Amino acid sequence: ELCVRVDDETKHAQLATLSRIYLAYCQCTRGADKMMIAAAFTNGDSDNLRVGRNGVFYDRKGRDWDASIIKIVEHPISLAEAFFLPYKQAGRMLGEQVQKMAAARAAASQGQAVARSLATGAAAPPATAAPAAQQAFDAARFAGIFAAIGLAIGAIGTAIASIVTGFLNLAWWQMPLAVLGVILAISGPSMVIAALKLRSRNLGPILDASGWAVNTRLRVNIPFGTALTAVAQLPPGAQRSLTDPYAEKHRPWGLYLGLAAVVTIVGALWWYGFLAQWLQL
């Protein structure tokens, strides 16, 4: 609901970034008419917002415009986004590290293959001789890197085993508190920083950058920001279908394991005589 018209997105963003509001600058077209707007996102998350995404903008007269994001000024949007932010960052970092390790492993294997071919006297083009020698050198370096990674994985595994053992030694009522404490330790700092920034959001710099003369702070607190941006929801009476007609067919191994566990437990109770005692009661 908070959109302003913009003439120059670069000049506008230099001052509007002081508002600490997440802004998406969109190029809007309707036939031969064109205009640029700055849309403020004050609720939800920014997972699907990036330069090049397309959308629809409705002006005050109810007319629809084709909109495309051309520039983004990033700031915290909501506390919910701040809560999940550490986990998303950890997932992205883990994925990037796995890709780097796979690329390094592939380069090392290729370098070893080239080194073996040169050692056996296989013909190689003169232009690739120098890169082959360089790859052989990199292979030795990557061997040390993988050894260090193996030691790190072993240390991490030992730490995880110690944590799991300590968690299982807790009383039943202490386990939920321990899980809650871990969640707060991970998401708490991110939420505190986001809350401080969200409470300091100011509409004044956005209006000043658009040519207004605002001489006071126009705060956008969390409830007001939630009202300015509506998160998409299903229409009334609609239901979400979770059945995929084109899903791959899998055997219900979970059901098989569950039935096997039930049979095993019942058999153990019968073997040790507990089942007979209960039936007599």
Side-chain angles (χ1 to χ4, degrees):
E1 301 294 336
L2 178 57
C3 301
V4 295
R5 190 161 183 168
V6 176
D7 295 329
D8 186 352
E9 74 278 6
T10 302
K11 183 178 179 180
H12 188 276
Q14 293 177 356
L15 183 58
T17 187
L18 301 177
S19 65
R20 294 190 175 182
I21 297 177
Y22 191 101
L23 296 176
Y25 291 89
C26 304
Q27 181 69 50
C28 302
T29 58
R30 178 180 171 84
D33 299 331
K34 294 183 179 181
M35 70 173 178
M36 190 179 303
I37 64 169
F41 288 84
T42 55
N43 192 17
D45 56 65
S46 60
D47 291 344
N48 294 323
L49 295 177
R50 59 182 59 90
V51 175
R53 289 297 304 270
N54 299 319
V56 181
F57 171 69
Y58 292 91
D59 60 15
R60 295 173 58 187
K61 297 181 179 179
R63 299 176 301 179
D64 58 288
W65 297 67
D66 296 331
S68 178
I69 299 178
I70 61 174
K71 184 181 179 65
I72 288 179
V73 176
E74 295 187 3
H75 286 290
I77 294 181
S78 63
L79 291 177
E81 181 189 40
F83 178 83
F84 293 105
L85 182 61
Y87 307 100
K88 294 178 181 178
Q89 291 178 343
R92 287 194 295 266
M93 183 180 65
L94 181 61
E96 293 175 356
Q97 293 300 323
V98 170
Q99 292 179 1
K100 291 180 180 179
M101 290 175 58
R105 183 70 176 180
S109 300
Q110 184 179 4
Q112 292 175 357
V114 174
R116 285 195 297 268
S117 65
L118 293 176
T120 56
T128 60
Q134 182 65 27
Q135 289 176 354
F137 173 78
D138 291 341
R141 184 182 62 181
F142 288 140
I145 293 176
F146 287 125
I149 292 175
L151 293 175
I153 292 176
I156 293 174
T158 303
I160 292 176
S162 302
I163 293 173
V164 172
T165 303
F167 180 78
L168 295 178
N169 291 331
L170 296 175
W172 65 269
W173 58 271
Q174 294 176 334
M175 292 182 178
L177 297 179
V179 174
L180 181 61
V182 172
I183 294 175
L184 291 178
I186 296 175
S187 300
S190 176
M191 295 183 65
V192 170
I193 295 174
L196 294 175
K197 292 183 178 180
L198 291 175
R199 291 180 61 87
S200 63
R201 289 180 298 187
N202 181 16
L203 183 58
I206 297 178
L207 300 179
D208 283 333
S210 299
W212 293 49
V214 180
N215 298 322
T216 184
R217 291 175 54 87
L218 302 176
R219 289 185 53 195
V220 179
N221 55 20
I222 296 177
F224 185 35
T226 304
L228 289 176
T229 301
V231 179
Q233 298 179 354
L234 290 177
Q239 296 181 356
R240 192 186 305 273
S241 177
L242 300 180
T243 302
D244 185 4
Y246 303 101
E248 297 180 0
K249 304 300 181 182
H250 298 284
R251 291 185 177 272
W253 294 110
L255 178 61
Y256 295 160
L257 292 176
L259 292 176
V262 171
V263 172
T264 302
I265 293 173
V266 173
L269 294 176
W270 173 78
W271 179 265
Y272 289 102
F274 294 105
L275 188 62
Q277 297 177 3
W278 292 343
L279 291 177
Q280 291 178 359
L281 294 176

